[in-house]
Amino acid sequence: ITPGELLCLGSSLAFSGLFYYLYRKKARVVAQIQEAPKLHVNDDLPALVSATDARCLPYVALEGIVLPAKAALTSHYHEGLQGVIQKLLLKEHRLIWNSLARSW
């Protein structure tokens, strides 16, 4: 076995271990999302949220009737399927100038 073959084998094992770790991490998140409790939109929902530790629920599925503010969004791919955007949250990350790469 040459040193080049050992290097290839070692890097292959390292990458396989890294990708397996990332796969397992994402699989846990998917399992949490699939096991999310289903809650109905009603008057009890604000009290339930305020009773939690951080005043938020990590993963929940909300069920209920939502009315659009202007017009409902229609799907281009499925006829008769409509949806609404209830709240849009935009989070901007702070940009720092990297003088070495000359980019933000």
Side-chain angles (χ1 to χ4, degrees), residues 81-95:
L81 187 64
Q82 293 183 341
V84 295
I85 298 175
Q86 186 174 5
K87 183 177 180 181
L88 178 65
L89 178 65
L90 176 65
K91 182 177 180 182
E92 294 185 19
H93 298 281
R94 193 175 103 194
L95 296 176

Side-chain angles (χ1 to χ4, degrees), residues 41-86:
V41 178
N42 55 20
D43 295 335
D44 298 334
L45 189 60
L48 179 66
V49 172
S50 63
T52 59
D53 296 336
R55 296 182 52 91
C56 69
L57 300 171
Y59 293 111
V60 294
L62 291 177
E63 296 177 342
I65 297 174
V66 179
L67 300 174
K70 295 181 182 175
L73 301 172
T74 58
S75 174
H76 296 286
Y77 304 108
H78 300 284
E79 190 173 320
L81 187 64
Q82 293 183 341
V84 295
I85 298 175
Q86 186 174 5

Side-chain angles (χ1 to χ4, degrees), residues 24-54:
R24 295 296 300 159
K25 186 176 176 182
K26 297 299 178 185
R28 274 185 251 128
V29 172
V30 168
Q32 286 179 346
I33 291 172
Q34 288 178 343
E35 295 172 358
K38 293 182 181 180
L39 302 175
H40 293 283
V41 178
N42 55 20
D43 295 335
D44 298 334
L45 189 60
L48 179 66
V49 172
S50 63
T52 59
D53 296 336

Side-chain angles (χ1 to χ4, degrees), residues 3-23:
E5 291 173 342
L6 285 176
L7 179 68
C8 289
L9 178 65
S11 63
S12 175
L13 288 175
F15 280 122
S16 296
L18 173 69
F19 291 138
Y20 182 72
Y21 168 75
L22 293 174
Y23 165 76

